[in-house]
Amino acid sequence: MLENLRIGSTLNTIDNIFCKEWQLEGNGLLAGRGGCSLYLMYRHFQIGKAILLDISLEILEKEVSEVNKNGLQDYLSIGNPTSSSSWLIDQFIKLDILDDSEKLNSNEWIQFLIKSTASIEFDTNRHDLFYGFIGKSILIIEHDQHLAQPFVTRIIAALKKSATNEYNGIHWKSPYPFHATTSFEQTINFGIPHGSCGIMLFLLKCYDLFDTLKYEIEPLVKGNFDWLIDRLNKADNKLLYSYSNTPSGTGKLGWCYGDQAIAYTLLRYYETFNAEEAKVKAYELIEQAASKSMVQSGVKYYPHYGYYDVRVCHGTSSVAYMWLKMYQITKDIDIKALADKWLSITLDNLDVFLPQLDKIAELEKDNDMIDTSMGFLNGLSGVGLVLLSFLDPKLNSWDKLLLLDRPGRE
């Protein structure tokens, strides 16, 4: 109960910041004011405060205006600012804030997205979540599953074609420009946004949503599972991550890549196929991750200001939310305790960070490594959404943006 009061107090502070400063943000869903709209929408849904909904809708109007002003671009995906309008409209409709007629506003954009996706994107395995065809597919699925199925079918065919088959299973190389070298550890990415865990989570999502595609998807996910298990066993669960900032270069905590990303992916595989081997290996990684100190976690510390990164991509809220998602699958109270521990760490660091926000924003305005924005991925709106999900697990459908949804189970 006390922790819920702390969450509520912190969310009130975040509400006030958004009401005052959202105009300073650029357009966009991941890094702009679209994230503000998403947060304020869910926050209104929780507490029924009209001004929050008014601002959220005002932001949506501005996002739509930007789309109409700048036009649609061929590389439209979740990471492109123009994607936020379609996503937000669909979320407002799902929460019964807007009616279905509003889909007419975004249907043209979705149709454009489908038609403008070039064959070369599939041929070169542009599977990226933020800037590739997986991200595009999430936008289309959210808009209309029936419309999305042919597009998903193309993705499955492309992934089948681009998979590397080896004696121990199948895997995918990360596309340029994320890893442009020939070093093995830099051509294989185990993360969610750009790597094989993201592909696996996307395929598991589609397995749940599209019955007629199960027979095409199953060999891909089982082949990748076999390969991943073999790699984990050979590396004693200490896989290299080519851009890890942990002292050992392995085992970072958070959503984007590392122990938690792989453990969650294995638990989703276990949940779908009842594969005990996946659960056993996931728990090995969970035990390994749970024993890490703050320094070993890879979460960045800002000594000048006295706080740890709280961001939803790779900060403390990310770690807390990944534990929460794993608890929802396992119902293991020890994992729930880890989620609560990292929730407290997040709240502690927000207590240090939020009072300094204006000061840090001014002093670090030219420092790309410190983010004081309101955006979803690296800003306050993502952190706020995580806190909301601890208060009410039903307010978590936003995590489709992170490939963390579990269709039919929530």
Side-chain angles (χ1 to χ4, degrees), residues 41-42 45 87-100 103 141-145 397 400:
M41 178 200 318
Y42 279 93
F45 197 79
W87 179 272
L88 291 171
I89 286 172
D90 287 328
Q91 301 315 303
F92 276 114
I93 290 171
K94 291 178 189 301
L95 292 177
D96 293 323
I97 296 170
L98 297 176
D99 62 47
D100 282 337
K103 279 186 178 286
I141 289 171
E142 199 67 0
H143 183 73
D144 186 329
Q145 285 187 28
S397 61
K400 297 172 188 177

Side-chain angles (χ1 to χ4, degrees), residues 131-157:
Y131 306 106
F133 53 67
I134 285 179
K136 293 182 178 185
S137 183
I138 289 174
L139 290 173
I140 303 168
I141 289 171
E142 199 67 0
H143 183 73
D144 186 329
Q145 285 187 28
H146 179 75
L147 186 67
Q149 183 161 333
F151 191 82
V152 171
T153 301
R154 291 177 67 192
I155 289 178
I156 293 168

Side-chain angles (χ1 to χ4, degrees), residues 124-277:
T124 55
N125 191 31
R126 295 292 298 177
H127 60 67
D128 191 74
L129 172 60
F130 296 155
Y131 306 106
F133 53 67
I134 285 179
K136 293 182 178 185
S137 183
I138 289 174
L139 290 173
I140 303 168
I141 289 171
E142 199 67 0
H143 183 73
D144 186 329
Q145 285 187 28
H146 179 75
L147 186 67
Q149 183 161 333
F151 191 82
V152 171
T153 301
R154 291 177 67 192
I155 289 178
I156 293 168
L159 289 172
K160 184 177 181 180
K161 180 180 178 181
S162 63
T164 298
N165 288 273
E166 297 183 350
Y167 72 94
N168 56 350
I170 65 173
H171 64 90
W172 292 271
K173 293 184 177 181
S174 294
Y176 177 88
F178 297 103
H179 298 291
T181 76
T182 56
S183 169
F184 179 77
E185 285 78 16
Q186 292 186 321
T187 58
I188 304 297
N189 184 313
F190 297 97
I192 292 177
H194 315 303
S196 59
C197 283
I199 294 175
M200 178 76 90
L201 290 173
F202 171 72
L203 289 173
L204 289 170
K205 172 188 177 82
C206 293
Y207 188 89
D208 289 333
L209 292 176
F210 304 104
D211 286 341
T212 59
L213 299 180
K214 288 182 186 293
Y215 72 98
E216 293 282 358
I217 294 172
E218 189 167 338
L220 294 176
V221 292
K222 288 190 172 181
N224 188 234
F225 168 75
D226 291 342
W227 180 85
L228 179 58
I229 292 292
D230 184 71
R231 292 289 303 166
L232 285 165
N233 287 338
K234 287 179 178 177
D236 192 27
N237 293 342
K238 293 177 174 60
L239 294 176
L240 284 173
Y241 303 97
S242 56
Y243 45 88
S244 178
N245 61 354
T246 59
S248 65
T250 65
K252 182 184 182 300
L253 303 188
W255 164 77
C256 52
Y257 61 97
D259 286 354
Q260 285 184 298
I262 295 176
Y264 177 76
T265 302
L266 290 171
L267 287 176
R268 281 287 288 117
Y269 185 87
Y270 158 75
E271 183 177 48
T272 300
F273 293 103
N274 196 29
E276 282 296 322
E277 187 179 8

Side-chain angles (χ1 to χ4, degrees), residues 193-394:
H194 315 303
S196 59
C197 283
I199 294 175
M200 178 76 90
L201 290 173
F202 171 72
L203 289 173
L204 289 170
K205 172 188 177 82
C206 293
Y207 188 89
D208 289 333
L209 292 176
F210 304 104
D211 286 341
T212 59
L213 299 180
K214 288 182 186 293
Y215 72 98
E216 293 282 358
I217 294 172
E218 189 167 338
L220 294 176
V221 292
K222 288 190 172 181
N224 188 234
F225 168 75
D226 291 342
W227 180 85
L228 179 58
I229 292 292
D230 184 71
R231 292 289 303 166
L232 285 165
N233 287 338
K234 287 179 178 177
D236 192 27
N237 293 342
K238 293 177 174 60
L239 294 176
L240 284 173
Y241 303 97
S242 56
Y243 45 88
S244 178
N245 61 354
T246 59
S248 65
T250 65
K252 182 184 182 300
L253 303 188
W255 164 77
C256 52
Y257 61 97
D259 286 354
Q260 285 184 298
I262 295 176
Y264 177 76
T265 302
L266 290 171
L267 287 176
R268 281 287 288 117
Y269 185 87
Y270 158 75
E271 183 177 48
T272 300
F273 293 103
N274 196 29
E276 282 296 322
E277 187 179 8
K279 184 178 181 180
V280 169
K281 183 58 68 176
Y283 264 84
E284 289 179 14
L285 289 169
I286 288 168
E287 183 177 354
Q288 177 175 297
S291 67
K292 290 184 182 297
S293 66
M294 286 298 293
V295 172
Q296 293 171 323
S297 73
V299 177
K300 187 172 178 59
Y301 183 66
Y302 300 99
H304 187 68
Y305 302 106
Y307 73 94
Y308 281 93
D309 184 349
V310 294
R311 293 178 279 185
V312 78
C313 182
H314 42 249
T316 61
S317 68
S318 173
V319 180
Y321 195 65
M322 291 301 286
W323 288 132
L324 181 64
K325 294 298 294 188
M326 285 187 264
Y327 164 71
Q328 289 168 356
I329 295 174
T330 63
K331 306 304 181 187
D332 186 327
I333 58 172
D334 290 334
I335 296 178
K336 180 61 164 61
L338 289 169
D340 291 339
K341 169 188 170 181
W342 280 88
L343 170 63
S344 293
I345 290 172
T346 300
L347 291 168
D348 290 344
N349 281 277
L350 286 168
D351 285 345
V352 177
F353 173 64
L354 291 177
Q356 301 182 80
L357 182 64
D358 290 341
K359 171 187 171 182
I360 297 171
E362 177 59 29
L363 293 176
E364 306 292 346
K365 59 186 176 183
D366 297 321
N367 184 356
D368 292 337
M369 300 304 293
I370 296 183
D371 197 317
T372 57
S373 75
M374 308 295 110
F376 169 74
L377 191 65
N378 288 316
L380 272 181
S381 59
V383 178
L385 286 164
V386 167
L387 296 181
L388 274 175
S389 295
F390 272 89
L391 285 180
D392 185 351
K394 295 186 180 70

